[in-house]
Amino acid sequence: MRVFKFGGASVKDADGIKNVYDVLQKVGYEDVILVVSAMGKTTNALEVVIKNYFDKSAELNSSVQEIKKYHNQILLDLFDDENHAVFGAVNAQFEELEYFLAHNKSPNYNFVYDQVVSFGELISTNILSHYMNFRGIQTQWLDVRNFIKTDATYRDAEVDWEATQQLISKNVPRKILNITQGFLGADENNFTTTLGREGSDYTAGIFAYCLNAESVTIWKDVPGVMNADPRYFENASLLNQISYREAIELAFYGATVIHPKTLQPLQKKEIPLYVKSFINPLLKGTCVSKGVDLEPQYPCFIVKREQLLISLSSIDFSFIMEENISEIFGLFHEFKIKVNLIQNSAISFSVCVEDKFGNFNELNAILSKKFKVEYSENVTLYTIRHFTEQAAETVEKNKEVLLKQVSRETMQIVTKELN
Ligand code: ASP
Ligand code: MG
């Protein structure tokens, strides 16, 4: 079996969905399972609904209506006959969502989040399945909650591999095009859970693992995995092949092409992962598999913006030792500040961090009692895997280099733009 994953961007409008049909025509759809995300930015829009719900905002109803309108327009563009059963079917899903919002009694934010946000995937797969049938491709719509079993950690559920393995290998039909939801699962009590934002890739990995699939393909609006983000680098090029290990490294440093959790189940069974263009589905794209680290051997660039470079030094010239370091890390953890790079010398300690939740000022007040704290805001962290002199020069050009760290395969450079 082959597992195909189509993300939100690939099904953001009627043309996108028609294109899924074209892709399937070109690459075949027998013995395939499609894992599909919510359409376009629907998950974000549902997060607004959840916020309105908890804020008891007057906007609650209109935020739901907006999502309804968006899907309805897609239906109108896809099906010329307004009496087609899909209109009623999607409407019933929205009624179910509205019923939940009107009757729910649980004050648990994460629980409510999962029950609400899951409608994005349930609706998108419903539409897709109807559309494929309409175009003559027989499909089987699967409710993923009958297959992926998880614990009850809402918004970040842990997969129960044993139960999931059994259900998938027993109950997924073969020889037909299966369509199911990414991102979702169900707990023991059959409440909906989710696997964390952008979790649909992971869903594809779970199915592939349990089905001993021949491959997974993630269909994207880019030709495959590039050695740099084309938005920031002029000469970004396609990588033909990367190893699981390299892909995990790239994800670790912040490359966002492949969700890191996805790779673990695939690596275990050596199932290749292809990243391909849904615009040119017959092109080779990138293959992530066992074997050569990287082909071609280009340096790979990963950029993290809006970082904070903090230097701590001891006030009395004493050494910064294990106990200080563990205390400092404890504080970063407590204040939800993510550390992306560390460098230390005898009396100073530098970290490049991401302060996503704006907690640094509060933390700084605590740190300043014990250390001399210096920091630069709004710096950029570049990571170059398989660096070369020339690659480093490209990064450093026209910038002030604040810190540089080199290991065998990886160079990290913290810079400040010169204006
Ligand atoms: N729709 C979910 C999200 O946007 C899952 C995914 O797209 O992978 O996070
Ligand atoms: Mg999405």
Side-chain angles (χ1 to χ4, degrees):
M1 250 185 141
R2 288 178 296 166
V3 181
F4 289 172
K5 184 258 176 174
F6 284 92
S10 66
V11 291
K12 68 178 194 307
D13 52 24
D15 284 342
I17 295 165
K18 290 177 184 168
N19 184 61
V20 172
Y21 172 86
D22 293 339
V23 170
L24 293 174
Q25 287 296 351
K26 287 183 185 143
V27 303
Y29 48 83
E30 194 174 89
D31 235 3
V32 164
I33 178 160
L34 293 191
V35 172
V36 184
S37 302
M39 293 176 165
K41 302 257 178 267
T42 300
T43 306
N44 292 353
L46 285 162
E47 284 184 342
V48 173
V49 168
I50 296 156
K51 187 172 184 307
N52 289 338
Y53 174 78
F54 278 103
D55 292 352
K56 302 200 173 7
S57 157
E59 317 272 280
L60 175 61
N61 183 46
S62 62
S63 57
V64 176
Q65 293 315 312
E66 223 170 279
I67 301 174
K68 209 167 169 177
K69 230 169 78 189
Y70 165 65
H71 286 88
N72 206 53
Q73 187 55 52
I74 293 178
L75 290 182
L76 290 169
D77 294 341
L78 286 176
F79 302 88
D80 7 282
D81 175 10
E82 275 185 55
N83 293 317
H84 192 286
V86 69
F87 286 90
V90 171
N91 197 45
Q93 291 180 300
F94 278 103
E95 277 173 8
E96 202 186 315
L97 168 61
E98 285 165 333
Y99 184 90
F100 176 83
L101 292 170
H103 292 87
N104 167 64
K105 291 270 188 294
S106 168
N108 178 343
Y109 181 90
N110 292 344
F111 169 81
V112 171
Y113 181 100
D114 282 0
Q115 310 318 303
V116 171
V117 90
S118 50
F119 278 93
E121 273 71 14
L122 291 167
I123 294 169
S124 72
T125 51
N126 188 13
I127 294 177
L128 215 75
S129 178
H130 270 103
Y131 183 70
M132 293 304 149
N133 292 339
F134 172 68
R135 295 289 304 268
I137 300 183
Q138 222 358 113
T139 62
Q140 177 67 48
W141 183 85
L142 303 177
D143 186 333
V144 76
R145 296 169 297 184
N146 297 328
F147 294 89
I148 295 184
K149 293 294 164 187
T150 70
D151 68 4
T153 315
Y154 300 107
R155 296 188 71 186
D156 192 19
E158 189 86 37
V159 173
D160 174 346
W161 282 95
E162 215 169 297
T164 301
Q165 170 73 71
Q166 272 202 359
L167 290 165
I168 290 181
S169 45
K170 241 185 23 218
N171 299 334
V172 172
R174 305 277 174 145
K175 299 278 168 219
I176 192 165
L177 177 65
N178 294 286
I179 301 187
T180 199
Q181 305 79 42
F183 181 46
L184 316 183
D187 67 13
E188 225 176 22
N189 295 316
N190 274 335
F191 285 116
T192 307
T193 57
T194 62
L195 306 171
R197 282 301 307 260
E198 308 303 325
S200 294
D201 288 5
Y202 184 39
T203 306
I206 297 167
F207 273 99
Y209 180 90
C210 296
L211 290 164
N212 290 318
E214 157 194 334
S215 62
V216 173
T217 308
I218 298 179
W219 297 98
K220 289 210 158 250
D221 57 0
V222 289
V225 180
M226 316 289 281
N227 74 324
D229 186 332
R231 284 173 301 177
Y232 307 129
F233 288 85
E234 277 172 24
N235 300 317
S237 327
L238 178 70
L239 302 170
N240 303 318
Q241 152 75 32
I242 35 179
S243 64
Y244 296 115
R245 197 188 140 229
E246 184 63 30
I248 289 167
E249 292 277 359
L250 292 172
F252 172 79
Y253 288 110
T256 51
V257 262
I258 303 164
H259 191 278
K261 265 187 177 174
T262 310
L263 293 160
Q264 290 151 7
L266 299 180
Q267 179 181 28
K268 273 195 202 148
K269 290 203 174 165
E270 295 183 10
I271 298 168
L273 170 74
Y274 297 98
V275 180
K276 293 193 189 208
S277 156
F278 59 68
I279 301 151
N280 294 303
L282 296 176
L283 295 184
K284 276 209 169 110
T286 303
C287 174
V288 183
S289 65
K290 199 182 154 185
V292 259
D293 255 5
L294 200 62
E295 196 280 306
Q297 267 276 349
Y298 293 136
C300 298
F301 299 87
I302 301 138
V303 187
K304 281 183 182 253
R305 287 170 193 268
E306 287 175 40
Q307 305 283 298
L308 194 59
L309 181 65
I310 309 170
S311 286
L312 305 173
S313 40
S314 46
I315 294 171
D316 55 3
F317 283 96
S318 63
F319 291 159
I320 295 204
M321 298 297 280
E322 289 87 342
E323 67 216 70
N324 306 102
I325 292 177
S326 88
E327 185 193 350
I328 295 167
F329 269 94
L331 286 167
F332 282 130
H333 181 71
E334 192 180 314
F335 284 86
K336 292 203 184 116
I337 294 178
K338 186 164 178 282
V339 178
N340 288 323
L341 177 144
I342 307 157
Q343 189 156 354
N344 72 320
S345 72
I347 54 163
S348 90
F349 183 74
S350 301
V351 281
C352 185
V353 303
E354 217 165 295
D355 182 22
K356 229 184 182 167
F357 303 97
N359 292 335
F360 177 65
N361 284 342
E362 218 179 311
L363 171 64
N364 190 12
I366 299 174
L367 288 173
S368 300
K369 288 186 192 138
K370 284 204 169 172
F371 304 97
K372 183 170 158 235
V373 182
E374 288 168 296
Y375 63 92
S376 317
E377 291 174 297
N378 217 349
V379 302
T380 306
L381 170 62
Y382 289 89
T383 302
I384 316 174
R385 290 275 300 161
H386 312 282
F387 60 90
T388 59
E389 273 313 307
Q390 200 198 346
E393 271 167 34
T394 336
V395 166
E396 290 169 13
K397 207 166 85 193
N398 302 329
K399 296 181 197 85
E400 181 189 354
V401 174
L402 303 178
L403 188 155
K404 194 160 164 176
Q405 195 172 75
V406 183
S407 64
R408 201 165 57 88
E409 288 171 320
T410 310
M411 178 184 276
Q412 293 195 284
I413 308 172
V414 179
T415 70
K416 185 122 193 143
E417 298 295 323
L418 295 175
N419 356 312

